Amino acid sequence: MGSDPVNVNEFEELARKSLPKMYYDFFSGGAEDQFTLKENIQAFQRIMLRPRILVDVSNINMSTEILGYKISAPIMIAPTGMQKFAHPEGELATARAAAACNTIMVLSFSSSSTVEEVAASCDAVRFFQLYVSRKRDISAKVVERAERHGYKAIVLTGDRPRLGRREADIKNKLIMPKFKNLEGLLPVEIG
C-alpha cells in the first residue's frame, strides 16, 4: 500500500502486514467456526446509506449525547481487549485518541492496561465493560475501582459464561497475558 489507508479494508490490510500473524489473527478472528463474526460482517454490509441530494450541507452537526455526555459524532470506541498486542501503549493510546476526538471509550474487561492506568492517561469520558463474575464480590470490587477512577458507566456484557474456542489462537499457540484488572482478585492465568 503506497498511501495512507482511507477505509476499513485498507486499515485491516495494514494491520495484517504490520502485526505478527498470531496477533493479527487474534484481532481479526472469532470463536468456534466464526459464524457470528461472519453474520456481523454480512449485517453491516446490508446497511445502506442513502445520500440526500440538493440539500444544504453547509452546516453539519453530527454531535449527540450518550447518557448525558456530549460527543462529536454517534461513534464510540467499543471494548477491545489486549490492545498491547497491537501497540506498546495499548489502551492508553486509545483513550488519548478518544479524548482528542471527543468521544467515549469503553475499556475492555480484558484490557492489557488497568482502569487506573487508563484513567491517568487523559481526560476522556470512559465507560467500563463488565463481565459479571460468579464471585459477585470480585465484580463489585472492579466496579468500585472503575467508579473511583472516573468511569461514567458500566457496559454489562453477558455473552461469555465461558471463553469461546478460538481456533486461530489454538493453532498459533497464542499465550494470553494476565487480565490486568483482576490481578490480586482472582487467579489471572488463562489456560
Side-chain angles (χ1 to χ4, degrees), residues 53-83:
I53 309 299
L54 300 175
V55 175
D56 180 9
V57 293
S58 60
N59 185 17
I60 295 173
N61 180 0
M62 291 181 47
S63 67
T64 190
E65 281 190 22
I66 304 289
L67 300 179
Y69 297 97
K70 192 166 176 103
I71 59 176
S72 60
I75 300 169
M76 294 172 38
I77 299 174
T80 304
M82 300 299 151
Q83 291 185 25

PDB file of all heavy atoms in Angstrom, residues 53-83:
ATOM      1  N   ILE A  53     -29.902  14.446  -1.863  1.00  0.00           N
ATOM      2  CA  ILE A  53     -29.463  15.274  -2.980  1.00  0.00           C
ATOM      3  C   ILE A  53     -30.102  16.661  -2.878  1.00  0.00           C
ATOM      4  O   ILE A  53     -31.247  16.810  -2.455  1.00  0.00           O
ATOM      5  CB  ILE A  53     -29.847  14.607  -4.324  1.00  0.00           C
ATOM      6  CG1 ILE A  53     -29.391  13.155  -4.374  1.00  0.00           C
ATOM      7  CG2 ILE A  53     -29.315  15.391  -5.505  1.00  0.00           C
ATOM      8  CD1 ILE A  53     -27.907  12.946  -4.252  1.00  0.00           C
ATOM      9  N   LEU A  54     -29.325  17.684  -3.306  1.00  0.00           N
ATOM     10  CA  LEU A  54     -29.799  19.071  -3.336  1.00  0.00           C
ATOM     11  C   LEU A  54     -30.296  19.535  -1.968  1.00  0.00           C
ATOM     12  O   LEU A  54     -31.348  20.157  -1.833  1.00  0.00           O
ATOM     13  CB  LEU A  54     -30.883  19.250  -4.405  1.00  0.00           C
ATOM     14  CG  LEU A  54     -30.445  18.914  -5.834  1.00  0.00           C
ATOM     15  CD1 LEU A  54     -31.627  19.006  -6.785  1.00  0.00           C
ATOM     16  CD2 LEU A  54     -29.305  19.805  -6.289  1.00  0.00           C
ATOM     17  N   VAL A  55     -29.527  19.207  -0.936  1.00  0.00           N
ATOM     18  CA  VAL A  55     -29.840  19.606   0.435  1.00  0.00           C
ATOM     19  C   VAL A  55     -28.683  20.464   0.937  1.00  0.00           C
ATOM     20  O   VAL A  55     -27.521  20.173   0.664  1.00  0.00           O
ATOM     21  CB  VAL A  55     -30.016  18.358   1.331  1.00  0.00           C
ATOM     22  CG1 VAL A  55     -30.227  18.749   2.769  1.00  0.00           C
ATOM     23  CG2 VAL A  55     -31.158  17.503   0.830  1.00  0.00           C
ATOM     24  N   ASP A  56     -29.000  21.519   1.665  1.00  0.00           N
ATOM     25  CA  ASP A  56     -27.956  22.390   2.200  1.00  0.00           C
ATOM     26  C   ASP A  56     -27.126  21.631   3.240  1.00  0.00           C
ATOM     27  O   ASP A  56     -27.651  21.222   4.271  1.00  0.00           O
ATOM     28  CB  ASP A  56     -28.601  23.623   2.835  1.00  0.00           C
ATOM     29  CG  ASP A  56     -27.580  24.596   3.409  1.00  0.00           C
ATOM     30  OD1 ASP A  56     -26.365  24.414   3.169  1.00  0.00           O
ATOM     31  OD2 ASP A  56     -27.997  25.549   4.090  1.00  0.00           O
ATOM     32  N   VAL A  57     -25.847  21.432   2.966  1.00  0.00           N
ATOM     33  CA  VAL A  57     -24.947  20.748   3.885  1.00  0.00           C
ATOM     34  C   VAL A  57     -23.828  21.671   4.367  1.00  0.00           C
ATOM     35  O   VAL A  57     -22.775  21.217   4.790  1.00  0.00           O
ATOM     36  CB  VAL A  57     -24.356  19.463   3.235  1.00  0.00           C
ATOM     37  CG1 VAL A  57     -25.431  18.431   3.015  1.00  0.00           C
ATOM     38  CG2 VAL A  57     -23.616  19.799   1.956  1.00  0.00           C
ATOM     39  N   SER A  58     -24.069  22.962   4.312  1.00  0.00           N
ATOM     40  CA  SER A  58     -23.033  23.914   4.713  1.00  0.00           C
ATOM     41  C   SER A  58     -22.802  23.921   6.220  1.00  0.00           C
ATOM     42  O   SER A  58     -21.755  24.357   6.682  1.00  0.00           O
ATOM     43  CB  SER A  58     -23.386  25.322   4.222  1.00  0.00           C
ATOM     44  OG  SER A  58     -24.629  25.718   4.777  1.00  0.00           O
ATOM     45  N   ASN A  59     -23.771  23.431   6.990  1.00  0.00           N
ATOM     46  CA  ASN A  59     -23.623  23.413   8.440  1.00  0.00           C
ATOM     47  C   ASN A  59     -24.096  22.048   8.954  1.00  0.00           C
ATOM     48  O   ASN A  59     -25.278  21.858   9.225  1.00  0.00           O
ATOM     49  CB  ASN A  59     -24.431  24.559   9.070  1.00  0.00           C
ATOM     50  CG  ASN A  59     -24.195  24.649  10.562  1.00  0.00           C
ATOM     51  OD1 ASN A  59     -23.229  24.100  11.087  1.00  0.00           O
ATOM     52  ND2 ASN A  59     -25.086  25.327  11.253  1.00  0.00           N
ATOM     53  N   ILE A  60     -23.153  21.123   9.100  1.00  0.00           N
ATOM     54  CA  ILE A  60     -23.487  19.780   9.565  1.00  0.00           C
ATOM     55  C   ILE A  60     -23.015  19.619  11.004  1.00  0.00           C
ATOM     56  O   ILE A  60     -21.879  19.949  11.331  1.00  0.00           O
ATOM     57  CB  ILE A  60     -22.817  18.712   8.678  1.00  0.00           C
ATOM     58  CG1 ILE A  60     -23.388  18.795   7.266  1.00  0.00           C
ATOM     59  CG2 ILE A  60     -23.025  17.327   9.252  1.00  0.00           C
ATOM     60  CD1 ILE A  60     -22.694  17.910   6.285  1.00  0.00           C
ATOM     61  N   ASN A  61     -23.882  19.116  11.840  1.00  0.00           N
ATOM     62  CA  ASN A  61     -23.533  18.861  13.229  1.00  0.00           C
ATOM     63  C   ASN A  61     -23.865  17.405  13.537  1.00  0.00           C
ATOM     64  O   ASN A  61     -25.030  17.041  13.647  1.00  0.00           O
ATOM     65  CB  ASN A  61     -24.294  19.798  14.154  1.00  0.00           C
ATOM     66  CG  ASN A  61     -23.969  19.563  15.608  1.00  0.00           C
ATOM     67  OD1 ASN A  61     -23.169  18.693  15.958  1.00  0.00           O
ATOM     68  ND2 ASN A  61     -24.597  20.330  16.479  1.00  0.00           N
ATOM     69  N   MET A  62     -22.848  16.580  13.668  1.00  0.00           N
ATOM     70  CA  MET A  62     -23.065  15.157  13.943  1.00  0.00           C
ATOM     71  C   MET A  62     -23.012  14.840  15.430  1.00  0.00           C
ATOM     72  O   MET A  62     -23.115  13.685  15.823  1.00  0.00           O
ATOM     73  CB  MET A  62     -22.019  14.330  13.196  1.00  0.00           C
ATOM     74  CG  MET A  62     -22.224  14.367  11.705  1.00  0.00           C
ATOM     75  SD  MET A  62     -21.033  13.393  10.758  1.00  0.00           S
ATOM     76  CE  MET A  62     -20.992  11.854  11.631  1.00  0.00           C
ATOM     77  N   SER A  63     -22.848  15.839  16.266  1.00  0.00           N
ATOM     78  CA  SER A  63     -22.727  15.582  17.700  1.00  0.00           C
ATOM     79  C   SER A  63     -24.018  15.002  18.247  1.00  0.00           C
ATOM     80  O   SER A  63     -25.101  15.181  17.701  1.00  0.00           O
ATOM     81  CB  SER A  63     -22.355  16.858  18.452  1.00  0.00           C
ATOM     82  OG  SER A  63     -23.422  17.785  18.403  1.00  0.00           O
ATOM     83  N   THR A  64     -23.866  14.280  19.355  1.00  0.00           N
ATOM     84  CA  THR A  64     -25.017  13.680  20.027  1.00  0.00           C
ATOM     85  C   THR A  64     -24.670  13.518  21.497  1.00  0.00           C
ATOM     86  O   THR A  64     -23.572  13.868  21.923  1.00  0.00           O
ATOM     87  CB  THR A  64     -25.398  12.325  19.373  1.00  0.00           C
ATOM     88  OG1 THR A  64     -26.660  11.908  19.903  1.00  0.00           O
ATOM     89  CG2 THR A  64     -24.347  11.264  19.624  1.00  0.00           C
ATOM     90  N   GLU A  65     -25.614  13.000  22.257  1.00  0.00           N
ATOM     91  CA  GLU A  65     -25.380  12.721  23.668  1.00  0.00           C
ATOM     92  C   GLU A  65     -25.593  11.242  23.941  1.00  0.00           C
ATOM     93  O   GLU A  65     -26.541  10.643  23.442  1.00  0.00           O
ATOM     94  CB  GLU A  65     -26.319  13.536  24.557  1.00  0.00           C
ATOM     95  CG  GLU A  65     -25.890  14.959  24.750  1.00  0.00           C
ATOM     96  CD  GLU A  65     -26.702  15.669  25.826  1.00  0.00           C
ATOM     97  OE1 GLU A  65     -27.307  14.998  26.701  1.00  0.00           O
ATOM     98  OE2 GLU A  65     -26.722  16.907  25.792  1.00  0.00           O
ATOM     99  N   ILE A  66     -24.711  10.684  24.744  1.00  0.00           N
ATOM    100  CA  ILE A  66     -24.843   9.317  25.234  1.00  0.00           C
ATOM    101  C   ILE A  66     -24.840   9.407  26.760  1.00  0.00           C
ATOM    102  O   ILE A  66     -23.862   9.860  27.350  1.00  0.00           O
ATOM    103  CB  ILE A  66     -23.675   8.419  24.756  1.00  0.00           C
ATOM    104  CG1 ILE A  66     -23.549   8.424  23.242  1.00  0.00           C
ATOM    105  CG2 ILE A  66     -23.825   7.014  25.328  1.00  0.00           C
ATOM    106  CD1 ILE A  66     -24.639   7.703  22.493  1.00  0.00           C
ATOM    107  N   LEU A  67     -25.938   9.030  27.371  1.00  0.00           N
ATOM    108  CA  LEU A  67     -26.081   9.084  28.837  1.00  0.00           C
ATOM    109  C   LEU A  67     -25.706  10.458  29.394  1.00  0.00           C
ATOM    110  O   LEU A  67     -25.107  10.574  30.466  1.00  0.00           O
ATOM    111  CB  LEU A  67     -25.240   7.989  29.507  1.00  0.00           C
ATOM    112  CG  LEU A  67     -25.583   6.556  29.131  1.00  0.00           C
ATOM    113  CD1 LEU A  67     -24.648   5.586  29.846  1.00  0.00           C
ATOM    114  CD2 LEU A  67     -27.040   6.223  29.476  1.00  0.00           C
ATOM    115  N   GLY A  68     -26.035  11.501  28.640  1.00  0.00           N
ATOM    116  CA  GLY A  68     -25.770  12.866  29.092  1.00  0.00           C
ATOM    117  C   GLY A  68     -24.392  13.398  28.737  1.00  0.00           C
ATOM    118  O   GLY A  68     -24.089  14.552  29.027  1.00  0.00           O
ATOM    119  N   TYR A  69     -23.553  12.620  28.082  1.00  0.00           N
ATOM    120  CA  TYR A  69     -22.217  13.069  27.688  1.00  0.00           C
ATOM    121  C   TYR A  69     -22.219  13.409  26.208  1.00  0.00           C
ATOM    122  O   TYR A  69     -22.521  12.569  25.367  1.00  0.00           O
ATOM    123  CB  TYR A  69     -21.167  11.993  28.002  1.00  0.00           C
ATOM    124  CG  TYR A  69     -21.092  11.734  29.480  1.00  0.00           C
ATOM    125  CD1 TYR A  69     -21.785  10.668  30.050  1.00  0.00           C
ATOM    126  CD2 TYR A  69     -20.371  12.583  30.306  1.00  0.00           C
ATOM    127  CE1 TYR A  69     -21.756  10.457  31.412  1.00  0.00           C
ATOM    128  CE2 TYR A  69     -20.337  12.375  31.676  1.00  0.00           C
ATOM    129  CZ  TYR A  69     -21.030  11.312  32.215  1.00  0.00           C
ATOM    130  OH  TYR A  69     -21.014  11.114  33.572  1.00  0.00           O
ATOM    131  N   LYS A  70     -21.907  14.665  25.907  1.00  0.00           N
ATOM    132  CA  LYS A  70     -21.907  15.126  24.525  1.00  0.00           C
ATOM    133  C   LYS A  70     -20.650  14.612  23.826  1.00  0.00           C
ATOM    134  O   LYS A  70     -19.540  14.764  24.336  1.00  0.00           O
ATOM    135  CB  LYS A  70     -21.961  16.653  24.469  1.00  0.00           C
ATOM    136  CG  LYS A  70     -22.241  17.188  23.090  1.00  0.00           C
ATOM    137  CD  LYS A  70     -22.611  18.664  23.157  1.00  0.00           C
ATOM    138  CE  LYS A  70     -22.795  19.189  21.766  1.00  0.00           C
ATOM    139  NZ  LYS A  70     -24.166  19.350  21.369  1.00  0.00           N
ATOM    140  N   ILE A  71     -20.856  13.992  22.654  1.00  0.00           N
ATOM    141  CA  ILE A  71     -19.740  13.504  21.849  1.00  0.00           C
ATOM    142  C   ILE A  71     -19.853  14.070  20.439  1.00  0.00           C
ATOM    143  O   ILE A  71     -20.924  14.506  20.015  1.00  0.00           O
ATOM    144  CB  ILE A  71     -19.647  11.962  21.841  1.00  0.00           C
ATOM    145  CG1 ILE A  71     -20.921  11.312  21.305  1.00  0.00           C
ATOM    146  CG2 ILE A  71     -19.329  11.450  23.249  1.00  0.00           C
ATOM    147  CD1 ILE A  71     -20.828   9.788  21.186  1.00  0.00           C
ATOM    148  N   SER A  72     -18.737  14.065  19.716  1.00  0.00           N
ATOM    149  CA  SER A  72     -18.659  14.744  18.424  1.00  0.00           C
ATOM    150  C   SER A  72     -19.448  14.068  17.310  1.00  0.00           C
ATOM    151  O   SER A  72     -19.825  14.719  16.339  1.00  0.00           O
ATOM    152  CB  SER A  72     -17.196  14.873  18.006  1.00  0.00           C
ATOM    153  OG  SER A  72     -16.602  13.581  17.894  1.00  0.00           O
ATOM    154  N   ALA A  73     -19.694  12.792  17.420  1.00  0.00           N
ATOM    155  CA  ALA A  73     -20.434  12.031  16.406  1.00  0.00           C
ATOM    156  C   ALA A  73     -20.995  10.787  17.081  1.00  0.00           C
ATOM    157  O   ALA A  73     -20.516  10.391  18.144  1.00  0.00           O
ATOM    158  CB  ALA A  73     -19.499  11.647  15.255  1.00  0.00           C
ATOM    159  N   PRO A  74     -21.984  10.146  16.484  1.00  0.00           N
ATOM    160  CA  PRO A  74     -22.562   8.965  17.127  1.00  0.00           C
ATOM    161  C   PRO A  74     -21.666   7.738  16.974  1.00  0.00           C
ATOM    162  O   PRO A  74     -22.072   6.678  16.505  1.00  0.00           O
ATOM    163  CB  PRO A  74     -23.896   8.799  16.389  1.00  0.00           C
ATOM    164  CG  PRO A  74     -23.649   9.390  15.047  1.00  0.00           C
ATOM    165  CD  PRO A  74     -22.691  10.527  15.272  1.00  0.00           C
ATOM    166  N   ILE A  75     -20.430   7.892  17.382  1.00  0.00           N
ATOM    167  CA  ILE A  75     -19.423   6.832  17.283  1.00  0.00           C
ATOM    168  C   ILE A  75     -18.687   6.755  18.615  1.00  0.00           C
ATOM    169  O   ILE A  75     -18.181   7.772  19.103  1.00  0.00           O
ATOM    170  CB  ILE A  75     -18.416   7.114  16.148  1.00  0.00           C
ATOM    171  CG1 ILE A  75     -19.145   7.206  14.808  1.00  0.00           C
ATOM    172  CG2 ILE A  75     -17.325   6.043  16.119  1.00  0.00           C
ATOM    173  CD1 ILE A  75     -18.299   7.745  13.687  1.00  0.00           C
ATOM    174  N   MET A  76     -18.636   5.559  19.188  1.00  0.00           N
ATOM    175  CA  MET A  76     -17.873   5.329  20.408  1.00  0.00           C
ATOM    176  C   MET A  76     -16.827   4.262  20.123  1.00  0.00           C
ATOM    177  O   MET A  76     -16.920   3.541  19.136  1.00  0.00           O
ATOM    178  CB  MET A  76     -18.792   4.831  21.534  1.00  0.00           C
ATOM    179  CG  MET A  76     -19.807   5.846  21.975  1.00  0.00           C
ATOM    180  SD  MET A  76     -21.061   5.227  23.147  1.00  0.00           S
ATOM    181  CE  MET A  76     -20.215   4.126  24.209  1.00  0.00           C
ATOM    182  N   ILE A  77     -15.838   4.155  21.002  1.00  0.00           N
ATOM    183  CA  ILE A  77     -14.827   3.110  20.866  1.00  0.00           C
ATOM    184  C   ILE A  77     -15.269   1.919  21.694  1.00  0.00           C
ATOM    185  O   ILE A  77     -15.375   1.986  22.917  1.00  0.00           O
ATOM    186  CB  ILE A  77     -13.437   3.613  21.295  1.00  0.00           C
ATOM    187  CG1 ILE A  77     -13.023   4.792  20.403  1.00  0.00           C
ATOM    188  CG2 ILE A  77     -12.424   2.475  21.239  1.00  0.00           C
ATOM    189  CD1 ILE A  77     -11.741   5.470  20.817  1.00  0.00           C
ATOM    190  N   ALA A  78     -15.542   0.816  20.999  1.00  0.00           N
ATOM    191  CA  ALA A  78     -16.042  -0.397  21.640  1.00  0.00           C
ATOM    192  C   ALA A  78     -14.933  -1.076  22.440  1.00  0.00           C
ATOM    193  O   ALA A  78     -13.745  -0.894  22.150  1.00  0.00           O
ATOM    194  CB  ALA A  78     -16.592  -1.356  20.579  1.00  0.00           C
ATOM    195  N   PRO A  79     -15.307  -1.868  23.439  1.00  0.00           N
ATOM    196  CA  PRO A  79     -14.290  -2.559  24.232  1.00  0.00           C
ATOM    197  C   PRO A  79     -13.533  -3.586  23.396  1.00  0.00           C
ATOM    198  O   PRO A  79     -14.140  -4.444  22.760  1.00  0.00           O
ATOM    199  CB  PRO A  79     -15.110  -3.237  25.338  1.00  0.00           C
ATOM    200  CG  PRO A  79     -16.499  -3.321  24.810  1.00  0.00           C
ATOM    201  CD  PRO A  79     -16.668  -2.175  23.870  1.00  0.00           C
ATOM    202  N   THR A  80     -12.239  -3.441  23.378  1.00  0.00           N
ATOM    203  CA  THR A  80     -11.358  -4.362  22.652  1.00  0.00           C
ATOM    204  C   THR A  80     -10.233  -4.740  23.595  1.00  0.00           C
ATOM    205  O   THR A  80      -9.476  -3.874  24.039  1.00  0.00           O
ATOM    206  CB  THR A  80     -10.773  -3.699  21.386  1.00  0.00           C
ATOM    207  OG1 THR A  80     -11.855  -3.239  20.572  1.00  0.00           O
ATOM    208  CG2 THR A  80      -9.922  -4.664  20.606  1.00  0.00           C
ATOM    209  N   GLY A  81     -10.121  -6.010  23.909  1.00  0.00           N
ATOM    210  CA  GLY A  81      -9.114  -6.468  24.859  1.00  0.00           C
ATOM    211  C   GLY A  81      -7.734  -6.582  24.255  1.00  0.00           C
ATOM    212  O   GLY A  81      -7.549  -6.602  23.040  1.00  0.00           O
ATOM    213  N   MET A  82      -6.761  -6.645  25.123  1.00  0.00           N
ATOM    214  CA  MET A  82      -5.365  -6.934  24.776  1.00  0.00           C
ATOM    215  C   MET A  82      -4.798  -6.025  23.685  1.00  0.00           C
ATOM    216  O   MET A  82      -4.116  -6.472  22.777  1.00  0.00           O
ATOM    217  CB  MET A  82      -5.209  -8.402  24.365  1.00  0.00           C
ATOM    218  CG  MET A  82      -5.610  -9.370  25.455  1.00  0.00           C
ATOM    219  SD  MET A  82      -4.557  -9.127  26.913  1.00  0.00           S
ATOM    220  CE  MET A  82      -5.656  -9.621  28.216  1.00  0.00           C
ATOM    221  N   GLN A  83      -5.040  -4.723  23.801  1.00  0.00           N
ATOM    222  CA  GLN A  83      -4.579  -3.782  22.779  1.00  0.00           C
ATOM    223  C   GLN A  83      -3.058  -3.676  22.699  1.00  0.00           C
ATOM    224  O   GLN A  83      -2.528  -3.246  21.687  1.00  0.00           O
ATOM    225  CB  GLN A  83      -5.213  -2.415  22.994  1.00  0.00           C
ATOM    226  CG  GLN A  83      -6.692  -2.427  22.699  1.00  0.00           C
ATOM    227  CD  GLN A  83      -7.307  -1.051  22.798  1.00  0.00           C
ATOM    228  OE1 GLN A  83      -6.653  -0.029  22.640  1.00  0.00           O
ATOM    229  NE2 GLN A  83      -8.600  -1.018  23.085  1.00  0.00           N
TER     230      GLN A  83
END
